[in-house]
Amino acid sequence: MNAKSDIAPNPTLDEFRKVVRSRRSVRRFTNEPVPQDVLDDCLDLAMLAPNSSNLQPWEFFVVRTPELKDRLAEACLGQNAAKTAPVLIAVVARTDTWRQHSRMALEQWPEEKLPGIVEKYYSKIAPIHYNQGPFGLLGIAKKTAGLVVGLSRPVPRGPYSINEMKVWATKSTALAAENLMLALRAHGYDSCPMEGFDEYRVRRLLSLPEKGLVTMVLAAGKRAEKGVYNRQYRFNQDELVHYL
């Protein structure tokens, strides 16, 4: 790997600010399709999101087939964003791919020499850290050990259960979803992340993996006239940002 490739380019702050400030949750879209090359690029950028241990616990299910899209929009409670968007993307967190992705991390390491610490992490540490064991018993044992060891020094606190694994996977997947939304905006398209949906119906419609967690359904397309319902506002930074 060329050392120069590790040097971050100097981004244009004004252009980034335009992308962030112009991203809105759009509720109505035109029927103009999103080109395949745009979708591919946006999904590539989504997958560059930071994530826990680079285990990439996400999957994206892109729905463009009209009949399936209409049924998915119905499962999204008939929201205008879902009904009018030319493409819907189910963003799914996976709690069960860490074993496979640990192996892939070693097999697809991008440098000629695999560092020993990397091999140790994915082959020995990860299989213990993320494994909850039968009936969650290993997770309980790890939590007990963590409580004891944590009395004298800092230790990782979890994930210690299936529910904590869901939180773990969802955090990384949400970061990827944000990358996806910003990438769409940078390409001149818009999006609307939807949490209002019938997860049972979404899972059944898309034949999702048993342990896949639908983090959100993302509507994407070109912003229609009056596609944004209200002016954007946020609470005062002084209320939510704390300097210690």
Side-chain angles (χ1 to χ4, degrees):
M1 180 179 293
N2 191 324
K4 290 185 178 180
S5 66
D6 292 333
I7 301 175
N10 191 12
T12 304
L13 177 59
D14 287 342
E15 293 304 311
F16 177 71
R17 183 178 283 111
K18 288 178 186 177
V19 170
V20 173
R21 289 194 175 277
S22 65
R23 187 219 58 81
R24 298 296 307 277
S25 292
V26 171
R27 310 293 177 171
R28 294 182 186 275
F29 297 88
T30 70
N31 58 7
E32 180 181 334
V34 181
Q36 184 63 52
D37 62 326
V38 171
L39 277 175
D40 288 342
D41 188 52
C42 289
L43 289 164
D44 278 344
L45 293 170
M47 293 173 64
L48 290 177
N51 62 95
S52 181
S53 297
N54 200 27
L55 290 174
Q56 304 170 52
W58 50 53
E59 287 187 341
F60 304 87
F61 294 80
V62 183
V63 179
R64 292 184 298 185
T65 307
E67 181 181 354
L68 181 58
K69 187 167 63 68
D70 289 345
R71 295 173 66 191
L72 181 55
E74 183 181 354
C76 291
L77 312 182
Q79 296 181 61
N80 285 330
K83 290 193 299 183
T84 61
V87 60
L88 297 175
I89 304 172
V91 183
V92 177
R94 297 292 301 270
T95 62
D96 59 336
T97 56
W98 61 267
R99 289 185 180 86
Q100 177 188 359
H101 289 188
S102 291
R103 292 192 295 270
M104 291 168 60
L106 295 174
E107 295 166 357
Q108 300 181 23
W109 184 254
E111 301 176 22
E112 291 184 11
K113 182 175 176 58
L114 177 67
I117 190 171
V118 173
E119 182 176 13
K120 179 181 179 181
Y121 182 82
Y122 288 114
S123 63
K124 296 181 180 180
I125 297 177
I128 296 174
H129 187 64
Y130 297 107
N131 189 4
Q132 306 309 316
F135 307 107
L137 294 177
L138 179 56
I140 294 172
K142 289 189 295 182
K143 184 174 184 178
T144 302
L147 289 173
V148 174
V149 177
L151 293 173
S152 59
R153 62 181 175 86
V155 295
R157 306 281 180 164
Y160 291 140
S161 67
I162 296 300
N163 283 336
E164 289 184 16
M165 286 293 291
K166 291 179 180 179
V167 174
W168 167 80
T170 299
K171 286 191 289 186
S172 288
T173 302
L175 291 172
E178 177 70 4
N179 265 28
L180 178 55
M181 288 183 278
L182 293 177
L184 284 163
R185 182 82 285 275
H187 273 282
Y189 293 85
D190 286 287
S191 61
C192 182
M194 295 176 288
E195 290 185 293
F197 53 82
D198 183 328
E199 184 170 7
Y200 173 78
R201 283 179 166 78
V202 172
R203 294 173 60 85
R204 187 176 62 182
L205 277 173
L206 304 184
S207 300
L208 297 182
E210 180 182 353
K211 294 186 179 179
L213 180 68
V214 186
T215 302
M216 66 187 73
V217 177
L218 191 71
K222 278 285 187 179
R223 185 182 309 195
E225 185 177 357
K226 297 182 180 180
V228 176
Y229 287 174
N230 304 294
R231 292 179 60 183
Q232 187 180 59
Y233 73 98
R234 290 294 185 269
F235 303 131
N236 193 298
Q237 187 183 120
D238 293 341
E239 299 289 333
L240 302 174
V241 178
H242 310 282
Y243 292 95
L244 306 177

